[in-house]
Amino acid sequence: MNDETPAKPVRHLLGLSGGKDSSALAIYLRDRIPDMEYFFADTGAELPETLEYIDLLEDYLGKPIAKLNARRDFDYYLKLHNNYLPSPRQRWCTINLKLLPFENYVGDDDVISYIAIRADEPARAGYLSTKPNIKTCFPFKEDGLNKEDITHILEESGLGLPKYYSWRSRSGCYFCFFQRHEEWVGLQKNHPELYERAKEYEKSEDESGKIYTWNQAGTLDEIVSRAQLAPEKKKTMSRPKKLIDQLTDPDEDPDDACLICTL
């Protein structure tokens, strides 16, 4: 008599951020890997457009997208970090609101995690877990797919790009510190109530007089004011021929963003 417990099957997981690349990868792999599990780490500070797009994607995929919610919200971790706002060097928001919920979701199961790094992004690696039971796979890299291919996948599916791409270059929290100055202007214009909430997180310390802001360039109101007064670069540049070209700022470092939040 064999008393050995049958080995659990390997789980196939694809994390969705509400961004173009992970969404295109989900569409690309839908019929290739029928057992794929989809998940979305909801920080509680997502743009309405992002949540809307996740719902549309769920309908297209024909299976539920697991919503992972952190055990504590952003405000809890902000207090834990002595009211220091997250920054490119201190990405505690990504760790606590994205990575830990993912690893808790995986547990000790053997998992293949599918990452939406494209073939034209040789310098980007994405989130690589140190847990031995989590292996990573890069289908777009392996199959040689680039930005134009991703746009084609989204357009052919009928979903197209998430609506926030009309004024923002990436997904993520509405107060993401990686936003360019003009994107803060976009937030103020498209979601004034969220802009005001983001401003409320900027606080001054009475004793030292130090101001905690989302960007070293100044407070949000200062950044938005300067961005609105500055010459509009796009008016002096030729119009991109393809939509996907409008999503990349020529001065933007592609390695700057928290990839698990924005892919």
Side-chain angles (χ1 to χ4, degrees):
M1 183 176 179
N2 188 354
D3 293 331
E4 292 185 5
T5 303
K8 296 177 65 176
V10 175
R11 297 171 65 189
H12 298 267
L13 299 182
L14 199 165
L16 299 164
S17 68
K20 65 184 188 304
D21 292 332
S22 63
S23 300
L25 184 59
I27 295 168
Y28 184 68
L29 297 178
R30 183 188 67 170
D31 299 324
R32 290 173 171 83
I33 305 177
D35 295 333
M36 184 73 78
E37 297 178 48
Y38 306 97
F39 68 90
F40 170 65
D42 188 346
T43 64
E46 308 293 336
L47 290 168
E49 295 96 325
T50 300
L51 299 177
E52 177 185 351
Y53 197 77
I54 289 294
D55 288 341
L56 292 173
L57 191 58
E58 186 174 59
D59 290 339
Y60 182 90
L61 296 172
K63 60 169 58 177
I65 296 173
K67 309 300 192 299
L68 311 186
N69 298 100
R71 296 178 180 177
R72 299 286 191 272
D73 62 11
F74 178 84
D75 291 337
Y76 171 85
Y77 290 108
L78 180 63
K79 291 179 181 178
L80 198 64
H81 288 80
N82 297 316
N83 289 324
Y84 281 91
L85 293 173
S87 68
R89 293 186 179 182
Q90 296 291 332
R91 307 183 190 187
W92 54 258
C93 51
T94 304
I95 293 172
N96 292 295
L97 301 178
K98 293 284 187 178
L99 303 186
L100 290 182
F102 165 66
E103 295 196 343
N104 290 334
Y105 181 62
V106 169
D108 296 324
D109 294 341
D110 289 325
V111 158
I112 298 177
S113 176
Y114 294 82
I115 310 296
I117 301 291
R118 305 187 309 265
D120 56 352
E121 298 178 297
R124 304 179 88 181
Y127 165 63
L128 301 178
S129 175
T130 57
K131 297 185 69 174
N133 57 310
I134 301 177
K135 310 299 181 183
T136 54
C137 180
F138 303 91
F140 284 158
K141 274 192 171 183
E142 294 170 2
D143 295 346
L145 273 65
N146 57 31
K147 287 191 296 184
E148 291 185 0
D149 298 312
I150 271 58
T151 303
H152 177 72
I153 290 171
L154 294 173
E155 291 178 346
E156 192 176 54
S157 72
L159 294 178
L161 292 163
K163 293 179 181 178
Y164 62 77
Y165 276 120
S166 65
W167 58 275
R168 205 178 197 228
S169 63
R170 55 171 64 99
S171 59
C173 298
Y174 69 86
F175 48 56
C176 182
F177 46 84
F178 278 117
Q179 291 183 87
R180 301 194 302 267
H181 292 185
E182 60 267 31
E183 292 176 318
W184 285 112
V185 175
L187 180 67
Q188 183 192 50
K189 179 180 178 181
N190 291 276
H191 298 290
E193 73 287 354
L194 296 182
Y195 176 79
E196 292 300 322
R197 286 188 205 172
K199 282 174 51 180
E200 290 175 3
Y201 283 108
E202 297 186 316
K203 298 178 180 178
S204 60
E205 192 174 274
D206 293 336
E207 295 182 1
S208 66
K210 184 175 181 179
I211 300 175
Y212 297 99
T213 63
W214 292 107
N215 191 295
Q216 293 182 347
T219 66
L220 291 187
D221 280 345
E222 290 170 344
I223 288 171
V224 167
S225 178
R226 286 197 298 269
Q228 291 173 330
L229 293 174
E232 297 182 19
K233 293 182 179 179
K234 292 182 180 180
K235 289 185 178 179
T236 63
M237 298 172 61
S238 60
R239 182 182 297 274
K241 294 182 179 180
K242 297 179 181 179
L243 177 60
I244 194 67
D245 295 329
Q246 300 178 40
L247 306 182
T248 303
D249 189 316
D251 299 322
E252 180 183 19
D253 183 351
D255 296 323
D256 273 350
C258 295
L259 297 186
I260 196 168
C261 295
T262 62
L263 282 177

